[in-house]
Amino acid sequence: MLLQFLRTSLEMIDDSAWSSLELSWQMASYASPSKQSFLYKALGTSLAACQDLVHVKSQIHTLLKTTDYMEAPERQ
């Protein structure tokens, strides 16, 4: 339900680029796998709602470069 709320909110404010940057920054602050897993889902929701394709491409490229594939939440 939180992801649906996020999706609806992003459609209303029309600024998903900012929210995806903020979510990316927040991920480094949480060591808990369950919290990181939710933040990754929220980031995906935010990027899916973003209309700025250059921003989406940049964020995905950064995530692929910085992901620790030994950690399950990041790998998934």
Side-chain angles (χ1 to χ4, degrees):
M1 288 195 317
L2 286 173
L3 293 175
Q4 180 60 38
F5 177 73
L6 174 62
R7 183 178 298 121
T8 302
S9 298
L10 290 172
E11 289 171 1
M12 292 179 143
I13 63 170
D14 195 34
D15 192 9
S16 54
W18 173 84
S19 61
S20 65
L21 287 173
E22 184 64 26
L23 286 167
S24 295
W25 182 78
Q26 289 290 326
M27 275 193 263
S29 302
Y30 292 96
S32 167
S34 64
K35 290 178 183 173
Q36 281 187 341
S37 179
F38 176 77
L39 286 173
Y40 275 111
K41 290 176 185 176
L43 178 60
T45 300
S46 178
L47 289 174
C50 187
Q51 298 296 317
D52 183 357
L53 298 181
V54 173
H55 172 74
V56 172
K57 183 179 178 180
S58 170
Q59 285 294 316
I60 290 173
H61 182 68
T62 301
L63 282 171
L64 290 173
K65 285 184 1 184
T66 60
T67 297
D68 181 2
Y69 292 99
M70 298 302 287
E71 297 292 326
E74 293 186 40
R75 185 173 56 244
Q76 290 176 355

